[in-house]
Amino acid sequence: MHFDHIGIATPDAAGLAALFEELFDAPVAHEETFDGMTVVFLELEDGYFELLEPHEDGAISSFLEKRGSGIHHIALETDDIDAALATARDAGVELIDEEPRPGAWGHDVAFLHPKSTGGVLVEFVSH
């Protein structure tokens, strides 16, 4: 596994994308509307910022209401998402997703519950 991206919840993906592009020389690599939100990926040399702007009620809008803008999750890329989930399950980690599901950019994703991972929402992603 290796680092893939950090997901950041924001009420203004376009504004934050413009700021990060200027501050970090991180150009927009991909943008889409997915699962009731705008998702913008900004490319860094060794991964991405994923900006998540909700347009309807859901996990990201709830996160913003409770915590405000900020880091939502950390994503690790794996070549075998099913094996990664099995390893997590065997280690006693609570899974949010028992099976991979479609994610942004056409990738398969699965999340681990933060109460099992030191308070960090971890996403496995398979390209």
Side-chain angles (χ1 to χ4, degrees):
M1 283 190 212
H2 69 270
F3 173 78
D4 189 77
H5 68 268
I6 292 178
I8 301 170
T10 178
D12 180 14
L16 191 56
L19 176 64
F20 282 8
E21 186 168 9
E22 182 178 344
L23 283 176
F24 308 126
D25 191 28
V28 173
H30 179 77
E31 183 173 349
E32 68 180 276
T33 300
F34 174 80
D35 203 21
M37 64 186 144
T38 296
V39 181
V40 179
F41 285 86
L42 300 168
E43 189 168 7
L44 300 166
E45 187 172 319
D46 54 357
Y48 299 92
F49 287 119
E50 178 189 38
L51 309 181
L52 307 162
E53 178 187 342
H55 299 293
E56 56 189 53
D57 289 341
I60 302 303
S61 61
S62 294
F63 180 92
L64 286 171
E65 287 174 19
K66 291 178 187 172
R67 296 185 177 97
S69 296
I71 295 174
H72 178 262
H73 67 272
I74 296 174
L76 301 173
E77 182 182 1
T78 177
D79 292 333
D80 189 341
I81 197 167
D82 293 314
L85 286 169
T87 298
R89 191 179 297 109
D90 291 346
V93 171
E94 183 178 341
L95 307 180
I96 292 174
D97 298 299
E98 291 289 333
E99 300 290 329
R101 61 182 167 92
W105 213 337
H107 301 151
D108 287 332
V109 302
F111 286 87
L112 309 181
H113 201 287
K115 73 180 178 183
S116 296
T117 54
V120 178
L121 179 60
V122 175
E123 174 186 8
F124 292 144
V125 59
S126 179
H127 294 214

